[in-house]
Amino acid sequence: NDMLRWQRTGFHFQPGKNFQADPNAAMFYKGWYHFFYQYNPTGVAWDYTISWGHAVSKDLLHWNYLPMALRPDHWYDRKGVWSGYSTLLPDGRIVVLYTGGTKELVQVQNLAVPVNLSDPLLLEWKKSHVNPILVPPPGIEDHDFRDPFPVWYNESDSRWHVVIGSKDPEHYGIVLIYTTKDFVNFTLLPNILHSTKQPVGMLECVDLFPVATTDSRANQALDMTTMRPGPGLKYVLKASMDDERHDYYALGSFDLDSFTFTPDDETIDVGIGLRYDWGKFYASKTFYDQEKQRRVLWGYVGEVDSKRDDALKGWASLQNIPRTILFDTKTKSNLILWPVEEVESLRTINKNFNSIPLYPGSTYQLDVGEATQLDIVAEFEVDEKAIEATAEADVTYNCSTSGGAANRGVLGPFGLLVLANQELSEQTATYFYVSRGIDGNLRTHFCQDELRSSKAGAITKRVVGSTVPVLHGETWALRILVDHSIVESFAQRGRAVATSRVYPTEAIYSSARVFLFNNATDAIVTAKTVNVWHINSTYNHVFPGLVAP
Ligand code: DQQ
């Protein structure tokens, strides 16, 4: 039981008990970041009592839990207040659009607004008396119509465009578009925003937003609601694949006249190409933070242990540490996801290591004390001579199927072992694996190996990851956030991300250690710099004087 207690995180968003899931977006309002999320007030798994939890924070990290914003208390949401979006409109109003599960389990869309816009906490919400405002249109199944969000405002005719994910009869994912002036009366457009190129199924939690592609504007994420497509902009379409349970995005262009999204490259369209996160991460949404002019991403990270353990723990699922989103102006082919800068203010003790040679087949313990809440930033170099001496190596390497951190190749794997016990019989490995084609080109794989992360039974363990661009002259760079039962890892400053839930049985409390390792057979790898910070707990709590779940 000590073991299960240890799994609660120190600096992640985590209500006192029960089940949480999809972030239902966030907003900055009257000095507070508001966060809404799927929450089951009565149990540790999803069921029809699913509701909207609510919390506020000054910095996206220290949270005050508030009473729930929305509960299933009308016929049109009797089987759950499902996902949707909370939007701060440019005129200062706030709307919440959400999917309700009716008594008969039909998915309908509903409207709710705050009772008192002058209350910075937005404690009270009222549902519109005309709900449901939308029911499934002809040709759309009752259970394929959910997760609405207002995406764009047209000033000239004061119309909002609202999009909703679905699928067509052939199982292709589609995104429906409605227009509305008042969020009560809606018109379905004859065209759709996008249809996937492969039959990937129902698209959940669709998101669409612009990113700046030029260096000069790259530091500004942009507000979608009034943005006009133009030079220096690209658009991101994101959807959560209900069949596969992963969040995919595509980079492309957006045409306002036809209101359609077109991927730059059809072979990496949404559902088949790029992912926000190669590990456990789902139902994400972004919001535009006008306070800091950035776009911030949240997703939820479910459990991979047994239902029985969730019941014993009394809670299930986490939200990831919010990530800023930028376009990668160097590769021009991916987004950059990076923990919000506020995380750095939680850093305390720092241990710094420089120029540590890692010989083939070796490990090196980083002496940092109790290693349960950490922020690690590491840069590696691979011996040039070894690379040159390698004609061709491991061209068919694949994180998921090539045996993980224990499988040795010429130029990898190398990286870090976190939440490791002293004997390394328990460990989570985050690593690079470099392969070299006959053309001499290097290809880097970024992987996270959960196979030895726990000695407990009934846990799903995988090796996750993908290839990541490492440009000429760059070192191999990792950042890893460790927080008890979650490991969030970022390669090449955010080009690729992998999140894992892990449940160590021995590498807990003061027995948790961190190591560098190099399992390459031929190359010496140098850890050029490694910074390890301890991260303070955020001691999230219920807002003083209020009662929250
Ligand atoms: N979860 C919600 C749905 C959404 C799904 C229900 C994604 O609205 O499609 O809790 O995890």
Side-chain angles (χ1 to χ4, degrees), residues 440-461:
N441 287 339
L442 300 183
R443 200 172 151 85
T444 297
H445 304 262
F446 157 63
C447 319
Q448 195 150 276
D449 180 350
E450 305 158 353
L451 301 178
R452 275 162 294 279
S453 60
S454 174
K455 292 188 180 177
I459 290 170
T460 306
K461 295 178 244 174

Side-chain angles (χ1 to χ4, degrees), residues 14-26:
Q14 198 178 3
K17 58 179 197 283
N18 292 330
F19 171 84
Q20 62 170 327
D22 318 10
N24 294 137

Side-chain angles (χ1 to χ4, degrees), residues 211-218 222 231-234 327-329 332:
V211 284
T213 56
T214 53
D215 277 317
S216 58
R217 294 168 75 189
L222 302 154
L233 289 183
K234 247 188 215 309
F327 179 72
D328 190 340
T329 54
K332 304 202 190 302

Side-chain angles (χ1 to χ4, degrees), residues 19 21-24 38-39 46-47 50-52 79-84 98-100 107 145-148 202-206 240 242 245 247 282-284 300:
F19 171 84
D22 318 10
N24 294 137
Q38 292 281 280
Y39 182 71
W46 193 92
D47 66 31
I50 199 80
S51 305
W52 274 41
K79 296 229 164 119
V81 177
W82 295 23
S83 281
Y98 71 90
T99 302
Q107 293 172 5
F145 185 57
R146 60 184 178 274
D147 311 337
M202 171 70 197
L203 303 183
E204 296 187 315
C205 305
V206 171
S240 302
D242 193 17
R245 312 303 287 177
D247 283 12
Y282 196 64
S284 65
Y300 89 93

